Amino acid sequence: MADDQKSSLELPIVNGNPQNIEELREDVGPLVHLDSLENLLNQARARSLWPLTFGLACCAIEMMAAGAARFDLDRIGAGVFRPSARQADVMILAGTISRKMIDPIKTLWDQMPSPKWAIAMGGCTIDGGPFKYPGQYAIVEGADKIVPVDVYVPGCPPRPEALFAALFKLEEKIKAGKNFQK
Amino acid sequence: MPSNILHFFDNFWLAIGATIAIVMAYLSVNAIMLIWLERKLAARIQRRIGPTRGPFGLVQQIFDMVKLFSKELITPDHVNRVLYLIAPVMIFAPVMALCTLFPISATWVFHDYSVAVVLLLAISGVNILAIFFAGWGSNNKYALLGAVRAVAQNISYEIPLILSIIPIVMMANSLSLYGIADAQTGVPYVLLQPIAAIIFIISATAETNRAPFDIPEAESELVAGFHTEYSGMRFGMFFFAEYSNMIIVCGLATVLFLGGWKGPYLPGPVWFFIKVYALIILMMWFRWTFPRLRFDQLMKFAWMVLVPLALINLLITTFVLKLI
Amino acid sequence: MSLLANIDGVRETTDIDHSAQGFHHLHVITLDALVPVTQTFFDNGFYLEMMTCQDRREADGIFRLVYQFCTMSTPQRHLVHLDIDPTTSAPSIAHIFPASDWLEREVFDMYGVGFDNHPDLKRILMPEAYPDGAHPLLKDFVDPESKGEADGQSV
């Protein structure tokens, strides 16, 4: 394939493209910022992250294990998995993203009310993982080609403790007031 | 005769205002505490720990509430605005009204209606309507399925509910909640009418859409059931209303079957709340023990098992009361 | 196998080692025999286990459709090989075994084999907007959406 042949696959966001990020910043976000109130709210939001049940493939098993008895995500407040995107805060993309899933993922991301975050769990959502080879036809190489990802968790699959570490990292990020809107 | 709120306030409107304030304060604190209790109880039953922030994880609830309040309220484009926006309000209003009916002690009730039982059953019908508004107004096939199932389930289980209350009313000779609780002088009615008590508790669990009858909000089946399209505090309202409904039906069960405020040594209100919360823990225990009933099993159970059983119980009670 | 003795266009290979191959009988059939053979299997209580395709254009210039039928009562597994020209389409057996609806859609999606009288022949694994004529499991396939860079980063 020649280099100048543009990809016919229309992806909504290409990570690192400043133009897209700026457009997003203008659309989303409140009109008025009250910094001290935002701080307090961020402290609360960080400690009560409700994930969307979005297990796509094998990493979903580890996500379920993290929510179950031995590791228990409920301890850190993230144990309430909501099935409806409108009631969830964080989208844990757990598993390989096939090309057919691009539209549903985008729809679900749009349905989530802000403030929202995304965790890319497992090698497949970071850059395609073990299923990437030159000329592959099946998967999207990385979740950040569809949604803006806040935390990446390497592993195939990552252990439940790694998911915990990711949630703690996300909590740090939220308490520091950083999300893709800023 | 119990004193009521009008004895404390000369002005009628001041009395109403005070009632509303007390009920709202109680329900808010109660809902928060019940959600915490549910999460901790569920965790312990499942051999895990549950929320750990703060002593016993109590502070977790505050974080959850603050987060829910600060979420963006999305009103989707495709909804029927009037129904969609009214549903969360409508589901909470009857609950607040019904809280005022319960006799907490021998000398206190907000207002002692002589037909309190009928009033309670009638007002709790508005709940069903609110659920249907939520499902229909959301313009979403999963929400509609959840709402339709909720309505069918609720109206089916109303019948055994009422049929199990009638023997109690006949035995106590009074429709007023204070009168029924008062009439249980020696033995609470749960010992005299065990079948009615069991039917009541099962029907009450189904009325409040609690597991194992929680098909309407079945998580794995119907996305999130009738409240799929609600975000932020609107969803919080549905959550609150479910837990407040539990208080209502458990309060009714306490008054009808367990003798309300009666008990040795401790003052009346303490006994009342102990009994109510014991029944609530029982309902939560049900949720984490039994698998969810499939919808046709649910309806079959109501119509083929509970209704005949309740009718037979009613007949037996009638004969016994006539003979005694 | 005496089951298919009355149908034209069926050639059977017996003396298959079941413990090595995993099946008991292999039938090589022609295009016209597919529907009668499938109907016979259905009438005798067999299940359609699997259906797939092999791209043998370099070796023999054909596509080979492989159907697998089995029955549990007296354990038997029959394989049916159907060699077709790459430009022709095969008859659909969706009216006999409804499960083959999706199996045939998968073969169409991955190999481009058309099926006559199929209820709804469209892509099933790839997105519906994937370019026509791009069938991933063909041996000379190149992804039309790929940037063609050597080190991954296809999309």
Side-chain angles (χ1 to χ4, degrees), chain A residues 41 44-45 47-48 50 68-69 72 74-77 80-84 86-89 111 113-115 171, chain B residues 39 46 48-53 60 63-64 66-67 70-72 74 219 223-224 227-231 235:
Chain A
L41 291 178
R45 286 167 185 156
R47 292 175 172 86
S48 155
W50 287 359
D72 197 13
D74 209 9
R75 285 184 291 153
I76 54 174
V80 188
F81 279 84
R82 297 306 305 168
S84 166
R86 300 214 185 268
Q87 296 150 10
D89 303 315
Q111 281 183 339
S114 54
E171 284 184 22
Chain B
R39 278 170 87 161
Q46 296 170 353
R48 48 188 185 90
I49 305 180
T52 51
R53 299 188 195 269
Q60 179 68 43
F63 294 137
D64 277 342
V66 173
K67 185 211 71 168
S70 70
K71 275 299 242 189
E72 178 189 357
I74 298 181
E219 284 193 0
V223 192
H227 48 68
T228 306
E229 293 278 356
Y230 287 91
S231 55
F235 166 67

Side-chain angles (χ1 to χ4, degrees), chain A residues 7 10 14-15 29 47 80 85 89 106 108 156 165 169 179 181:
Chain A
S7 166
E10 297 262 323
V14 175
N15 204 33
R47 292 175 172 86
V80 188
D89 303 315
K106 174 134 200 329
L108 284 170
C156 186
K169 198 92 187 153
N179 53 34
Q181 295 169 10

Side-chain angles (χ1 to χ4, degrees), chain C residues 113-128:
Chain C
V113 177
F115 288 92
D116 305 322
N117 302 319
H118 190 275
D120 188 19
L121 195 64
K122 57 182 182 185
R123 291 191 181 272
I124 190 170
L125 295 176
M126 299 308 295
E128 298 205 354

